[in-house]
């Protein structure tokens, strides 16, 4: 383990040294260019100069390899830098003694491809986030991009005019292409930076800085070339190298972590349009005093025109944005509060009272999707859920996203039966799996229903009571629940229970019971499964089904898992010291497994007690293995390398292909009790069990049957070749001291047949 840690540290140090070498080369190159004066130098330009081109390219390719060629933005940027390096190598290899090359040359192909590929990389970097931006934000980005392009076009006026006056058509085309690509590149950068709510991930500023430095060097080069003053070996060559080095810093960071676009950037309101309009007007005013390129005048005019869209139109855009959820495009909480009074109107005449209903919908286990698959997939799921809900609603219903995974449906003309029927339809609409990034994700919802005016005379009252009903539906797992007066106490009880759970974690109120696993061939006890119980000071022993969902909702599962692991490993040490070592299986939730440091923490806990790593087995659900295969592979591989065993819990109950069994390192499959209970009376169920046992054995895994409650099932499983069994027939989950008594009695009554 220490060796792997050293290897990982050495790889990280190696990358850091490569970055340092790159900047040292750039600095040395710049100093020599400044000191030596003009003129080409074969050693400097063909060796040191080329190293400043190819070391950044090497860093980019290392990033591509680390991302497994899956990051399109990194791959495109790498190809861009590589094309530039190839072109530069050709340029210095074919230049004459004065440092010049015929123009245009094949090198220009590579140089121009740099711009095309880098612009494509910028588009790939932010393409998925642009869909969620409001039109006003996109308009500001376009105005900012046009304004910056107008300024650059004005600066490049002499170059553009000179290029257009060239006699050779090909030379003119190539000459114009460089400044135009610089315009596009700078415009793209400013457009992205101008969009509030976009942050292009780790060390984005280095990519921006590198591209701007590169564009600045192009401007200087273009001006020098227009006057015939450029040769290889001028200090501007070091500016290009410095720009590439800055880009390589971004490439190195992007290769080591995923891009995470963060909403909530605080760009001052109208700041970008104001600056862009000022720049555009400046270009137009200067144009009245001197000749400006047509491109600069056109860009400046477009900037002013777009920014000068009538204020009322912009206000409408902003008002719509204020009422619209950015992610889904649905009305938001503000819109719901504004529109509700028209739907919820009390009549002085009871016979003319218009009834209404509010449905509050909360997705079940959405936090697991976010934690295990990432927030990007969670956002995609919310978008798909919104679409399905919208399609299942009547035309007069208002669907709003209140925040997170919570939605509200307001019905202006509905009673109890209509609201209940609609709630059932919404549950059905979400029943099928959602395909997100080639993964099948299953989503369900809990819905609380409150009626107007029976349960409240305004939206606030209806939301409060629908919220209570929703938590009742979540607790009972019934899908939907109509508010009842007694639910008020249920809401208070839930909050009180959550507070008591937090105290239970810190006041040693959680107990661990153990259920033995028996070898079906020998009858010997091979291990136990650790199962948590809550010893409530007033309510007595509480089973996990009654409180684990609250633990997940409150985000307390990592703390609970740590408590169970600690108690289980302490007990394993006690059994080992008593001469009866047992393997202990502990269930791990997806919300605990997403912690990248979890394997190291568990390995440390085992090492501190001096236990063999094989003492611990971690049971993982299929949902986690299927939904986040890359994270599962990383976690399980690390655990397997340390000697910790792993098992698939509740096997056969999830949506999946079986390919993950081939790809992931597992030791056991735990067959769900639903198969075991039916195999005695159902030949098809028995065939499934037999096939599953054969599958496990063919993959080198053991098969454990859960929920064995009859001798007939025990015998059938043994005949099928199943390896282990656990269930009430053998023993219920019991405390460790009772298990010691049970184990001793079993040893005396039924000695291990493997020794006979």
């Amino acid at each position: 383990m220490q060796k792997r840690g050293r290897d990982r540290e050495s790889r990280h140090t190696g990358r850091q040294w490569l970055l340092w070498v790159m900047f040292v080369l750039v600095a040395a190159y710049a100093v020599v260019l400044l000191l030596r004066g003009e003129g080409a130098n074969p050693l400097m330009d063909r060796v040191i100069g080329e190293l400043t081109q190819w070391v950044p390219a090497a860093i980019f390719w290392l990033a591509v390899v680390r991302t497994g060629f899956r990051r399109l933005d990194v791959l495109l940027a790498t190809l861009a830098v590589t094309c530039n390096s190839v072109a530069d190598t050709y340029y210095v290899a074919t230049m004459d003694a004065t440092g010049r090359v015929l123009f245009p040359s094949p090198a220009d192909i590579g140089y121009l491809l740099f711009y095309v590929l880098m612009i494509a990389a910028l588009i790939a970097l932010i393409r998925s986030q642009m869909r969620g931006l409001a039109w006003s934000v996109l308009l500001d980005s376009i105005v900012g991009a046009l304004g910056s392009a107008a300024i650059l076009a004005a600066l490049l006026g002499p170059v553009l005019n000179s290029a257009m006056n060239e006699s050779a058509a090909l030379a003119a085309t190539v000459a114009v292409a460089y400044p135009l690509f610089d315009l596009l590149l700078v415009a793209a950068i400013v457009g992205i930076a101008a969009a509030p709510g976009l942050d292009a991930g780790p060390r984005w500023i280095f990519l921006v800085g590198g591209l701007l430095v590169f564009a600045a060097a192009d401007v200087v080069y273009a001006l020098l070339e227009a006057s015939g003053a450029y040769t290889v070996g001028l200090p501007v060559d070091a500016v290009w190298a410095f720009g590439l080095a800055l880009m390589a810093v971004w490439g190195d960071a992007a290769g080591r972590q995923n891009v995470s676009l963060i909403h909530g950037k605080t760009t001052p309101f109208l700041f970008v349009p104001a600056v862009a309009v000022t720049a555009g007007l400046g270009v137009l005013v200067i144009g009245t005093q001197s000749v400006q390129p047509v491109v600069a005048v056109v860009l400046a005019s477009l900037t002013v025109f777009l920014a000068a869209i009538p204020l009322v139109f912009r206000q409408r855009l902003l008002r719509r944005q204020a009422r619209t959820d950015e992610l889904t495009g649905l009305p938001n909480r503000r819109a719901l509060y504004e529109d509700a009074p028209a739907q919820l109107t009390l009549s002085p005449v009871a016979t003319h009272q218009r009834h209404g209903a509010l449905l509050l919908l909360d997705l079940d286990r959405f936090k697991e999707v976010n934690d295990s698959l990432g927030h990007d997939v969670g956002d995609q799921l919310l978008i798909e859920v919104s679409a399905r809900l919208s399609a299942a609603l009547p035309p007069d219903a208002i669907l709003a996203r209140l925040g997170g995974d919570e939605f509200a449906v307001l019905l202006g003309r509905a009673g109890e039966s209509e609201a209940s029927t609609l709630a059932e339809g919404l549950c059905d609409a979400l029943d099928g799996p959602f395909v997100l990034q080639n993964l099948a994700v299953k989503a369900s919802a809990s819905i609380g229903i409150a009626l107007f005016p029976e349960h409240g005379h305004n939206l606030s009252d209806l939301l409060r009571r629908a919220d209570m009903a929703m938590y009742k539906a979540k607790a009972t797992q019934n899908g939907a629940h109509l508010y009842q007066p007694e639910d008020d106490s249920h809401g208070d009880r839930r909050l009180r229970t959550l507070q008591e759970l937090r105290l239970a974690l810190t006041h040693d109120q959680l107990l661990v019971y153990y259920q033995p696993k028996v070898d079906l061939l020998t009858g010997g006890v091979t291990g136990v499964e650790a199962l948590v119980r809550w010893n409530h000071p007033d309510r007595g022993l509480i089973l996990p089904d009654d409180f684990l969902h609250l633990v997940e909702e409150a985000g307390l599962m990592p703390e609970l898992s740590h408590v169970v692991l600690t108690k289980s490993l302490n007990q394993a040490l006690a059994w080992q010291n008593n001469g009866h070592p047992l393997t202990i299986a502990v269930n791990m939730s997806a919300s605990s497994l997403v912690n990248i440091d979890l394997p190291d923490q568990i390995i440390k806990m085992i090492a501190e007690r001096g236990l063999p790593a094989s003492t611990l087995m971690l049971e993982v659900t299929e949902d986690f293995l299927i939904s986040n295969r890359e994270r599962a592979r990383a976690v399980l591989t690390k655990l397997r390398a340390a000697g910790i065993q792993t098992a698939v819990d509740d096997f056969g109950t999830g949506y999946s292909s079986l390919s993950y069994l081939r790809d992931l390192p597992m030791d056991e499959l735990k067959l769900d009790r639903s198969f075991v209970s039916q195999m005695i009376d159902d030949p098809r169920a028995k065939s499934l069990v037999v096939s599953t046992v054969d599958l496990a054995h063919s993959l080198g895994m053991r098969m454990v049957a859960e929920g064995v409650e009859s001798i007939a099932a025990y015998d059938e499983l043994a005949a099928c070749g199943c390896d282990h069994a656990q269930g009430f027939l053998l023993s219920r989950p019991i405390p460790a001291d009772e298990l010691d008594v049970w184990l001793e009695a079993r040893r005396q009554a039924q000695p291990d047949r493997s020794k006979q």
Side-chain angles (χ1 to χ4, degrees), residues 110-297:
Y111 288 139
L112 292 174
L113 278 175
F114 169 83
Y115 299 97
V116 175
L117 292 169
M118 192 58 76
I119 291 172
L122 292 174
I123 294 172
L125 184 63
I126 52 91
R127 69 186 187 283
S128 61
Q129 283 69 32
M130 295 302 288
R131 292 176 302 180
L133 294 180
W135 277 106
S136 60
V137 175
L138 294 176
L139 184 62
D140 288 349
S141 298
I142 294 171
V143 169
L146 290 174
S148 61
I151 295 175
L152 191 59
L155 292 175
L156 290 171
V159 180
L160 291 170
N161 292 331
S162 173
M164 296 304 297
N165 293 329
E166 291 282 346
S167 57
L170 179 59
T173 301
V174 175
V176 171
Y178 282 105
L180 288 181
F181 274 127
D182 278 319
L183 288 178
L184 289 174
L185 195 60
V186 172
I189 294 170
V190 175
I192 294 172
L198 282 183
D199 181 359
R203 300 190 182 179
W204 155 248
I205 190 65
F206 285 95
L207 179 61
V208 172
L211 291 173
L212 291 179
V213 167
F214 209 84
D218 283 346
V219 172
V220 174
Y221 162 77
L223 295 174
L224 291 172
E225 188 67 38
S227 62
Y230 176 77
T231 62
V232 172
L234 292 179
V236 69
D237 293 346
V239 180
W240 276 310
F242 181 61
L244 287 175
L246 292 177
M247 296 179 217
V249 174
W250 170 82
D252 177 70
R256 287 186 281 113
Q257 45 187 307
N258 291 325
V259 172
S260 175
L261 298 190
I262 305 170
H263 296 275
K265 223 168 63 171
T266 55
T267 301
F269 178 61
L270 295 182
F271 173 77
V272 171
V275 174
V277 168
T278 302
L281 289 174
V283 171
L284 293 177
V285 169
I286 294 174
T288 63
Q289 308 296 325
S290 62
V291 178
Q292 290 290 333
V294 176
V295 174
V297 174

Side-chain angles (χ1 to χ4, degrees), residues 44-110:
M44 180 58 60
D45 299 322
R46 294 180 180 176
V47 179
I48 305 299
E50 288 310 295
L51 284 175
T52 64
Q53 302 290 315
W54 283 104
V55 171
I59 293 173
F60 266 102
W61 278 111
L62 287 174
V64 169
V65 172
R66 286 197 299 273
T67 58
F69 290 80
R70 290 187 297 273
R71 284 280 300 276
L72 181 60
D73 55 332
V74 177
L75 180 59
L76 289 171
T78 302
L79 293 174
V81 172
T82 303
C83 286
N84 184 80
S85 300
V86 171
D88 200 73
T89 300
Y90 178 86
Y91 190 99
V92 299
T94 57
M95 66 182 180
D96 58 23
T98 64
R100 289 185 172 276
V101 175
L102 290 176
F103 179 82
S105 77
D108 292 298
I109 298 175

Side-chain angles (χ1 to χ4, degrees), residues 16 26 90 143 224 238 273 299-300 313 330 342 344 442 476 478 481 515-516 565 731 749 752:
Q16 295 299 312
V26 171
Y90 178 86
V143 169
L224 291 172
L299 290 172
F313 180 64
L330 295 175
L344 307 175
K442 186 171 176 59
T476 57
N478 287 333
H481 176 74
Q515 187 175 36
L565 277 169
S731 172
D752 192 336

Side-chain angles (χ1 to χ4, degrees), residues 331-376:
N332 58 17
R333 184 183 292 268
R334 180 199 295 268
L336 184 65
Y337 269 93
E338 291 178 353
D339 297 340
Q343 303 289 331
L344 307 175
T345 304
L346 290 172
S347 171
V349 182
T351 56
H352 296 115
Q353 177 60 54
R354 187 171 71 175
H355 291 268
L358 179 74
L359 282 66
L360 190 64
L361 181 150
D362 185 87
L363 297 183
D364 299 325
R365 301 173 66 187
F366 178 73
K367 185 176 183 297
E368 289 187 13
V369 175
N370 261 347
D371 291 343
S372 59
L373 299 181
H375 290 277
D376 288 345

Side-chain angles (χ1 to χ4, degrees), residues 136 139 307-320:
S136 60
L139 184 62
I309 289 176
L311 183 60
V312 63
F313 180 64
R314 180 175 286 275
Q315 287 177 336
R316 288 178 181 174
L317 286 176
L318 294 176
R319 174 171 170 76
R320 185 181 304 170

Side-chain angles (χ1 to χ4, degrees), residues 585-602:
V586 177
N587 294 281
M588 299 300 293
S589 70
S591 55
S592 298
L593 288 165
V594 294
N595 179 7
I596 196 170
D597 297 324
L598 180 67
D600 289 333
Q601 294 171 4
I602 294 175

Side-chain angles (χ1 to χ4, degrees), residues 578-723:
N578 291 333
H580 299 295
L582 288 173
T583 298
I584 296 184
V586 177
N587 294 281
M588 299 300 293
S589 70
S591 55
S592 298
L593 288 165
V594 294
N595 179 7
I596 196 170
D597 297 324
L598 180 67
D600 289 333
Q601 294 171 4
I602 294 175
I603 292 167
K604 181 180 178 181
M605 293 173 71
I606 295 173
E608 288 174 344
R609 292 163 176 79
L611 290 168
S614 58
T615 300
L616 180 64
M617 174 177 288
L618 298 181
E619 297 188 1
V620 185
T621 62
E622 278 189 291
D623 290 343
F624 173 72
L625 299 176
I626 297 164
S627 61
N628 196 347
R629 192 171 298 186
E630 291 304 317
R631 175 62 63 83
R633 179 183 290 108
V635 171
L636 297 178
T637 300
K638 195 168 189 178
L639 293 170
R640 167 68 71 84
I644 298 170
Q645 302 181 73
T646 53
V648 181
D649 197 18
D650 300 329
F651 180 73
T653 59
Y655 286 94
S656 73
S657 68
L658 296 177
S659 60
Y660 77 91
L661 294 178
R662 175 199 62 203
D663 298 335
L664 301 178
M666 307 298 298
D667 297 288
E668 280 189 1
L669 297 183
K670 298 197 71 175
L671 188 65
D672 187 70
R673 64 182 65 247
S674 60
F675 292 95
V676 176
S677 62
Q678 299 175 21
M679 66 179 295
I680 302 303
D681 302 318
D682 187 348
R684 292 168 62 87
K686 181 179 178 180
S687 297
L688 284 174
V689 172
V690 173
S691 300
T692 306
V693 171
D694 291 340
L695 172 66
H697 289 167
S698 67
L699 294 173
M701 290 184 276
R702 301 181 296 272
M703 175 60 71
V704 180
E706 297 182 291
V708 179
E709 299 181 359
S710 67
I711 295 177
Y714 186 97
D715 291 339
E716 285 287 354
L717 288 166
C720 292
C722 185
D723 300 292

